[in-house]
Amino acid sequence: MALINENMQELILFSHINRQGSLSAAAQLLGISRSSVSKQLAALEKKIGSRLFNRTTRKIMLTDVGRKVLQEAHNVELALQRIEHISEDSRSVVAGELKVSCPAAQGRIHITPLITEFLKRYPDVSINLQLEDRFVDMVAENIDVSIRVGYLPDSTLIARKLGDVSWVLCASPTYLETAPPLKKPSDLLNHPCLYYRSTKVTMNTWSFIGNNREEDVTVSGPFSVNDPGVLVSAALDHVGVLLLDRGLLGNTIEEGKLVPLLEEYQAVGGLPTYVVYPEREFIPAKTRALVDFLLEKAPSTFHR
């Protein structure tokens, strides 16, 4: 890469010498010494294996090889100008494809409606949304933006907080008709509970704060799954008691399909939600637009 950069610099210098008509004038234009210009020209001629200029005491003239090399030097300059324009456009024009990763449940309920609204605001952007409950290597998988729930390890990623997940303990009215009393957290030991479980984590220790103290209860039940949406369906089917992010419950509580429980206690363990993107010197306008949009819209979604 260093050799390529060096060759490009020498070609551009060669083009400047031709335009200015002398090594001294090119040196003055570039703010370097004449001897430095002479050395770089000599190095380029050595690599090419031929003289590029016929020099007299009064002027310089291109050789046949020099004319051919000059055309390539002009091509290099034009390419660099085009790249500069592309770079400027990528930082100012909101257009192109974005690849976004998000946990499945949060993606379906929280993020997808926001993305459809974003696409209406920016019709020149297309989004490929990947819903997957796994840790995504954003750089290796070429992900532009990721939504992550939970505390983040130190990394080279930039994380901006969207909000906090708030937990609600609930069950269906039909389940509660025949269920044992549930007046304090320890009563959950007498109830079948529904909880998230994957190959890496089991979330069946539920924590509550009440009466100025924290109480942990390790629950059990007939059904655990690694999809929060399926847990909601099981609760709606009267299988047991559920502790889940309120935002993932949809309108089930407002419609009376699920009933909040132990409301005098506060469920502990709500997790922060972040929008994450790779650290770069220049953030593309499309990435910046999506991040700013989510920071604008998501807080009302996560704090319902």
Side-chain angles (χ1 to χ4, degrees), residues 114-184:
L114 295 179
I115 283 180
T116 56
E117 185 179 349
F118 174 81
L119 292 174
K120 292 176 183 177
R121 183 182 293 187
Y122 298 103
D124 293 328
V125 175
S126 62
I127 290 181
N128 174 223
L129 179 62
Q130 300 290 317
L131 300 180
E132 44 200 353
D133 293 316
R134 66 180 179 87
F135 185 84
V136 175
D137 186 331
M138 295 186 65
V139 176
E141 299 180 45
N142 199 29
I143 301 293
D144 297 294
V145 175
S146 181
I147 308 300
R148 291 187 176 174
V149 178
Y151 296 96
L152 302 173
D154 293 336
S155 70
T156 58
L157 302 176
I158 299 174
R160 305 285 300 279
K161 189 175 180 180
L162 295 176
D164 290 291
V165 171
S166 59
W167 296 93
V168 176
L169 186 73
C170 59
S172 72
T174 299
Y175 167 81
L176 293 171
E177 287 175 2
T178 57
L182 183 50
K183 296 182 179 180
K184 57 186 185 297

Side-chain angles (χ1 to χ4, degrees), residues 13 18 26 39 57 74 94 121 123 140 144-145 154 170 172 186 200 210 217 270 297-298:
L13 174 68
N18 181 70
K39 288 178 182 179
T57 55
H74 286 164
V94 182
R121 183 182 293 187
D144 297 294
V145 175
D154 293 336
C170 59
S172 72
S186 60
K200 295 184 178 181
V217 182
K297 297 290 185 177

Side-chain angles (χ1 to χ4, degrees), residues 12 15-17 19-20 23-32 37:
I12 293 171
S15 182
H16 282 312
I17 295 171
R19 275 196 294 267
Q20 297 302 313
L23 275 64
S24 298
Q28 185 176 1
L29 174 70
L30 298 172
I32 57 179
V37 170

Side-chain angles (χ1 to χ4, degrees), residues 6-301:
E6 182 180 292
N7 289 341
M8 289 174 59
Q9 292 171 0
E10 290 170 352
L11 283 171
I12 293 171
L13 174 68
F14 166 61
S15 182
H16 282 312
I17 295 171
N18 181 70
R19 275 196 294 267
Q20 297 302 313
S22 73
L23 275 64
S24 298
Q28 185 176 1
L29 174 70
L30 298 172
I32 57 179
S33 67
R34 186 187 185 286
S35 62
S36 177
V37 170
S38 180
K39 288 178 182 179
Q40 291 184 57
L41 176 60
L44 179 61
E45 289 178 327
K46 184 176 181 180
K47 290 172 187 174
I48 294 172
S50 177
R51 293 184 65 86
L52 301 176
F53 291 111
N54 288 318
R55 280 161 271 187
T56 68
T57 55
R58 302 185 61 181
K59 62 180 181 179
I60 59 174
M61 296 180 62
L62 287 168
T63 63
D64 289 340
V65 172
R67 279 190 285 272
K68 294 176 182 178
V69 172
L70 181 63
Q71 182 59 52
E72 300 305 320
H74 286 164
N75 291 339
V76 168
E77 288 182 306
L78 290 172
L80 291 174
Q81 290 172 6
R82 286 194 294 268
I83 290 170
E84 185 175 352
H85 290 318
I86 291 171
S87 178
E88 289 173 353
D89 288 345
S90 72
R91 296 196 297 270
S92 61
V93 178
V94 182
E97 183 181 56
L98 282 168
K99 192 173 181 182
V100 180
S101 172
C102 183
Q106 284 79 7
R108 285 194 298 268
I109 296 172
H110 292 319
I111 302 302
T112 297
L114 295 179
I115 283 180
T116 56
E117 185 179 349
F118 174 81
L119 292 174
K120 292 176 183 177
R121 183 182 293 187
Y122 298 103
D124 293 328
V125 175
S126 62
I127 290 181
N128 174 223
L129 179 62
Q130 300 290 317
L131 300 180
E132 44 200 353
D133 293 316
R134 66 180 179 87
F135 185 84
V136 175
D137 186 331
M138 295 186 65
V139 176
E141 299 180 45
N142 199 29
I143 301 293
D144 297 294
V145 175
S146 181
I147 308 300
R148 291 187 176 174
V149 178
Y151 296 96
L152 302 173
D154 293 336
S155 70
T156 58
L157 302 176
I158 299 174
R160 305 285 300 279
K161 189 175 180 180
L162 295 176
D164 290 291
V165 171
S166 59
W167 296 93
V168 176
L169 186 73
C170 59
S172 72
T174 299
Y175 167 81
L176 293 171
E177 287 175 2
T178 57
L182 183 50
K183 296 182 179 180
K184 57 186 185 297
S186 60
D187 289 338
L188 286 166
L189 297 174
N190 302 319
H191 289 259
C193 294
L194 310 169
Y195 56 92
Y196 181 95
R197 184 179 184 182
S198 68
T199 56
K200 295 184 178 181
V201 63
T202 299
M203 299 178 66
N204 67 330
T205 298
W206 297 352
S207 301
F208 301 88
I209 292 178
N211 301 321
N212 297 317
R213 70 186 185 92
E214 183 172 333
E215 184 175 351
D216 297 335
V217 182
T218 299
V219 302
S220 61
F223 187 53
S224 60
V225 65
N226 65 342
D227 187 324
V230 176
L231 289 174
V232 175
S233 296
L236 292 171
D237 286 337
H238 329 302
V239 177
V241 179
L242 173 65
L243 179 67
L244 194 67
D245 167 14
R246 184 181 185 91
L248 300 182
L249 296 173
N251 295 321
T252 56
I253 290 180
E254 289 78 3
E255 295 172 355
K257 296 176 180 178
L258 294 176
V259 178
L261 304 170
L262 297 182
E263 292 188 273
E264 63 272 29
Y265 291 84
Q266 179 183 353
V268 180
L271 299 174
T273 302
Y274 297 94
V275 56
V276 181
Y277 53 99
E279 185 176 16
R280 296 172 180 150
E281 185 176 357
F282 300 110
I283 305 299
K286 59 184 180 180
T287 302
R288 178 72 65 190
L290 179 59
V291 170
D292 290 345
F293 181 86
L294 292 175
L295 290 171
E296 172 193 348
K297 297 290 185 177
S300 61
T301 300

